[in-house]
Amino acid sequence: MSDDSTPAGITARLRSHIHSRTAITDHGYSTMLLAIFLGLLVGAYCSWTVADFSVRWPAFGIVGLIGIIRCYTQPTRMAVVTTGLYQLSAAIAITPLVLAGGGLYGAYTQGVANPWPTVLSEAILLVVIVFGVIATLIAGVASFLDHRYGPVETK
Amino acid sequence: MTGDEAPPQLSRRELLRATTAAGVVGTGVAMGRLGDKNDHDTPAKLADRAEPREYEEFAVHRVPEAYETIQDAVEAASPRDLVLVGPGRYHEEVTVSETEKLTIRGTDRNEVVLDGEGTRHNGITATADGVVIENLTAMNYTYNGVYWTGVNGYRGSYLTAANNGEYGVYAFDSVNGLFEHSYAAGHPDSGFYIGQCNPCHARIEQVTAERNGLGYSGTNAGGDLVIRNSVWKRNMGGIVPNTLDSEKLAPQAATRIENNEVRSNNNQDAPAKAFAYAAYGTGIGIAGGHDNEVLNNNVSNHANYGIAAIPMVDSSIWQPAGNLIERNHVQESGRADLALGSPNDGGNRFKNNSVSSSRPSWLHSDGMLASVFGSTGDPWVTLSQGLLYLQTELGEFPHGDWLGGPDPPEQPSMDDPERPPREAVGPRGDQ
């Protein structure tokens, strides 16, 4: 009973619970830390992008938690990595929308009559392309790892 | 630079070409530098200045009673004389190039109108020292309403400038000056401008700027320069001291901005050049400036940022550094009340401001993040401003036209237009 109350005991019970609910392969500590790191990385990125909407910390918590769970529930360490990269890629891909959305949100909340000309422009298309390229590169790395070391199994 | 030359625009276009670079640089230096550098020269040193003294000996040259045009009266005047202009619409350009300490004054601010009719360049150009322009309106000129360049001593009081093609009330490469009790509206660059001076030894007080590209623009201007007790509203952008390579004395440094009312600078119908649009929705924007003080201002209703310090990309990348933003009340900002862009050169301090949001988050907190990250900036701020720059580069930004804008509302005239002329500014205490 006393062993169960130690951090190691609590972690072991948590992992046992997750395994029983997801039926996935048991991960070592290093893989678990990797999943946490990747999840928090995506959470931090999303938190940074949506700060214009005053939801910085909720975004960090929610996206980070979902990211960790999505990564941790993969069957292999490589699948954890590729899932994290795919998540990061998706977050980067939608950055221009959030950037433009922040401008729209700001304009609407301050009573600008027609805020659309400030965001619906060729400029935002260029930003979409730039971030799309970055996102594609990251997804490409994930895809390469995926095909090189085996498909990602999702639950 | 002469009165017939357009204010410099070329490098601003170059600036726009570098727009994408700004975002990339900002993102690339995402983490910026950690910690503060507090070796900056703030608070700015301000000199005491006595009241301007009245001239004891002077002649009065009345227009149109004695002279058909204002320029005729100027040509006939001696130093310290007063050219007193009666009500009427004057379709001329006036240049004061030789008569130092001349005063040109209207008898009624709203009835004495210099009209450029969309074809003449500058309403009044002064290249002689100590020239004072008072109590009149200048409108519809293709460049500037009232313009001083290369002078020591200048003052614009009770002026109305409206719907001119560049600036309203403008002092370039000039020192020891004052703009006061004046109003500027409908200018695509800025309503009030002081540029290329350090130390400027100048003040802008009790003025109102609305429906301009920028309310105030000050390129490479600072040092004993104060903008205070004024209203900046419904421009495309509010108060924007900035650094550009196209003018001497870069970087812009040491302007004090205090006790101003800055609100609703999101006006897409305001006439605006590309440079001004890039500040859309920002109340007070320090663009690549150093050691400025932004104190006790009331800033509200801006689509992007209430008060922001951001890098400026021209031939060089000018990073904001050593700026002090303190005791401001900022509210209702679309993206964030306070913002610090990345990259920046450190030493930017945000203290005791009343705000509800900031980018990065630690600008408005005293917690652990603030102590660890200090004045590390947020590349998102640079990215969002870069998006506006990019839009201007593509030539598709929303704006109104300067010519044909609404006539300015009536403004209060000076109490006694017949009073003796005075010095442009009083003697400085440090002289």
Side-chain angles (χ1 to χ4, degrees), chain A residues 48-52 56-57 95 98-99 102-103 105-107 109-110 112 114-115 117-118 121-124 126-127 131, chain B residues 266 268 277 280 301-304 332-335 358-361 369 378-380 383-384 387-388 390-391 394 396 398:
Chain A
W48 174 63
T49 61
V50 301
D52 290 349
R56 177 187 277 128
W57 298 114
T95 300
V98 183
L99 182 66
Y105 171 78
T109 55
Q110 301 316 317
V112 174
N114 179 20
T118 62
S121 64
E122 292 177 30
I124 196 66
L126 290 176
V127 176
F131 277 85
Chain B
N266 319 299
Q268 295 174 8
Y277 178 73
Y280 161 78
N301 293 103
H302 293 97
N304 285 319
E332 297 178 59
S333 305
R335 290 189 190 270
S358 70
R359 265 190 181 272
S361 62
L369 287 176
D378 187 338
W380 188 268
L383 187 63
S384 62
L387 182 62
L388 295 174
L390 194 55
Q391 215 174 335
L394 297 170
E396 54 178 13

Side-chain angles (χ1 to χ4, degrees), chain A residues 50-82:
Chain A
V50 301
D52 290 349
F53 302 94
S54 304
V55 291
R56 177 187 277 128
W57 298 114
F60 178 70
I62 294 170
V63 176
L65 184 61
I66 292 172
I68 291 170
I69 292 172
R70 286 282 302 158
C71 288
Y72 189 79
T73 52
Q74 301 308 312
T76 66
R77 176 181 294 196
M78 187 52 62
V80 169
V81 171
T82 55

Side-chain angles (χ1 to χ4, degrees), chain B residues 199-222:
Chain B
C200 298
H201 299 300
R203 303 284 185 272
I204 297 179
E205 299 176 340
Q206 298 182 46
V207 305
T208 297
E210 66 177 325
R211 205 173 46 77
N212 301 284
L214 299 176
Y216 166 82
S217 172
T219 302
N220 303 354

Side-chain angles (χ1 to χ4, degrees), chain B residues 23-92:
Chain B
V24 170
V25 167
T27 305
V29 192
M31 291 311 295
R33 65 177 63 201
L34 302 182
D36 276 337
K37 292 195 305 182
N38 284 318
D39 55 348
H40 294 279
D41 189 19
T42 51
K45 295 177 179 63
L46 302 180
D48 294 330
R49 191 185 285 282
E51 281 293 301
R53 296 164 297 194
E54 290 186 348
Y55 298 132
E56 293 180 356
E57 294 183 6
F58 61 91
V60 180
H61 306 267
R62 294 182 183 273
V63 182
E65 292 88 341
Y67 301 91
E68 190 172 331
T69 67
I70 300 170
Q71 187 65 49
D72 287 345
V74 168
E75 301 293 338
S78 299
R80 297 182 176 76
D81 283 358
L82 170 63
V83 172
L84 194 58
V85 185
R89 212 161 184 101
Y90 297 86
H91 303 289
E92 61 176 308

